[in-house]
Amino acid sequence: MKAIQDYYPEELSHCYGCGSQNEHGHQIKTYWDGDETVTRFTPEPYHTAVPGFVYGGLIASLIDCHGTGSAAAATYRAEGREPGTEPLVRFVTGSLKVTYLKPTKLGPEIEIRGRVRELKERKVVIDSRVLVDGVETALGEVVAIRMPADFGKAV
Amino acid sequence: MKAIQDYYPEELSHCYGCGSQNEHGHQIKTYWDGDETVTRFTPEPYHTAVPGFVYGGLIASLIDCHGTGSAAAATYRAEGREPGTEPLVRFVTGSLKVTYLKPTKLGPEIEIRGRVRELKERKVVIDSRVLVDGVETALGEVVAIRMPADFGKAV
């Protein structure tokens, strides 16, 4: 199964968080699971905050790219189109909010589950939950803004 | 001049964002500049979002650690103490909010300037501005929560 990020245009696939072409980055992949979007990521031992726990900046980064990816996936679905069909859909982050509920244990796979709270043509709001071993450790909100169709070509 | 992070206890200096002992991390340093706190960081070429612009997750990460560092610095200052004097002060992030005003040009040094909005014994709120070449590209808000004095020893 292809992830939503696998449908990003080549010139927009260099993001440190989710670009398949960024060999230094996280290369996260986001999939549908019913009405939720899911991203899973196993942190490295050095992605630490205080010893034993995951760095909050990594959690914010994962929520960010999970949010923009979910926004693209939700837009294709709402328009009844397959991902990757023209016009290509790509979102950037307008704002990001993370609430840390408790320390996130470092080691196991991190799961991020997203839901669409609001969907408009140019603005999608994604609510996310961060889980490790089934324990909810953080909540995220991403306001995603759709890029103009010519954005990647204009830069 | 020593940065606030240089006064963090050894066992709490492994953070990916600001730990001096994390060889893989950003090792950011935060200083006072009058009533503002300042962190400067030059991103790597691979810290990209869309080509030519800085990855938003990196910006969130910098705001995060700049915020907790600023909270520690502000607490020492409010208590009329030199950083590093007992009891040692270390904050973690309760919540993080980032508003992206415009794309942040990738290449030049990023400057983050913080101000204390609220200062209580266990909770400090830091407002931050992100600038590149003098252009304000993002705003941040960190609610920082003071760690118990035995936290680092308890894990």
Side-chain angles (χ1 to χ4, degrees):
Chain A
M1 185 169 61
K2 287 175 79 172
I4 186 68
Q5 289 85 5
D6 296 326
Y7 296 100
Y8 286 172
E10 162 81 24
E11 68 272 21
L12 299 179
S13 292
H14 297 271
C15 174
Y16 186 80
C18 60
S20 58
Q21 306 300 309
N22 192 326
E23 63 182 279
H24 296 94
H26 303 317
Q27 300 192 5
I28 70 161
K29 305 284 185 189
T30 304
Y31 303 92
W32 282 110
D33 179 16
D35 286 340
E36 291 193 324
T37 52
V38 180
T39 299
R40 294 185 177 90
F41 183 83
T42 302
E44 300 292 337
Y46 53 77
H47 286 137
T48 187
V50 291
F53 300 109
V54 177
Y55 174 49
L58 175 68
I59 291 170
S61 297
L62 297 174
I63 288 171
D64 183 0
C65 286
H66 173 81
T68 51
S70 297
T75 298
Y76 281 119
R77 181 177 271 196
E79 294 179 358
R81 296 198 282 131
E82 286 297 312
T85 56
E86 299 279 347
L88 294 172
V89 176
R90 185 78 162 86
F91 281 79
V92 293
T93 310
S95 70
L96 165 69
K97 184 168 185 185
V98 183
T99 303
Y100 299 93
L101 304 174
K102 58 181 72 174
T104 300
K105 185 178 164 187
L106 179 60
E109 183 179 74
I110 299 170
E111 184 178 70
I112 301 171
R113 303 191 72 87
R115 283 187 174 272
V116 180
R117 188 205 304 173
E118 182 183 332
L119 191 147
K120 293 180 181 168
E121 189 184 347
R122 309 213 67 78
K123 176 189 166 188
V124 177
V125 182
I126 303 292
D127 288 321
S128 293
R129 298 182 299 135
V130 176
L131 303 114
V132 166
D133 288 344
V135 177
E136 193 174 277
T137 64
L139 300 175
E141 177 199 288
V142 167
V143 177
I145 307 296
R146 189 161 170 181
M147 293 171 71
D150 63 354
F151 192 94
K153 303 178 180 78
V155 293
Chain B
M1 185 169 59
K2 288 174 79 171
I4 186 67
Q5 289 85 4
D6 296 326
Y7 296 101
Y8 287 172
E10 162 81 24
E11 67 271 22
L12 299 180
S13 292
H14 297 271
C15 174
Y16 186 80
C18 59
S20 58
Q21 306 301 310
N22 192 325
E23 63 182 279
H24 296 93
H26 303 318
Q27 300 192 4
I28 70 162
K29 305 284 185 188
T30 303
Y31 302 93
W32 282 110
D33 179 17
D35 286 338
E36 291 193 324
T37 51
V38 181
T39 299
R40 295 184 176 89
F41 183 83
T42 302
E44 300 292 337
Y46 52 77
H47 285 137
T48 186
V50 293
F53 300 110
V54 177
Y55 173 49
L58 176 67
I59 291 170
S61 298
L62 297 176
I63 288 171
D64 184 0
C65 285
H66 173 80
T68 52
S70 298
T75 298
Y76 281 119
R77 182 178 270 196
E79 295 180 358
R81 294 197 284 132
E82 287 297 313
T85 55
E86 299 279 348
L88 294 171
V89 176
R90 184 79 162 84
F91 281 79
V92 293
T93 310
S95 71
L96 165 69
K97 184 168 185 184
V98 183
T99 303
Y100 298 94
L101 304 174
K102 58 181 70 175
T104 300
K105 185 178 165 187
L106 179 60
E109 184 180 73
I110 298 170
E111 184 177 72
I112 300 171
R113 303 190 72 88
R115 283 187 174 272
V116 180
R117 188 206 304 171
E118 183 183 332
L119 191 146
K120 294 180 181 168
E121 189 185 347
R122 308 212 67 78
K123 175 188 166 189
V124 176
V125 183
I126 303 291
D127 288 321
S128 293
R129 299 181 298 134
V130 176
L131 302 114
V132 165
D133 287 345
V135 177
E136 192 173 279
T137 63
L139 301 175
E141 177 199 289
V142 168
V143 177
I145 307 297
R146 188 160 171 182
M147 293 170 72
D150 63 353
F151 192 93
K153 302 178 180 78
V155 293

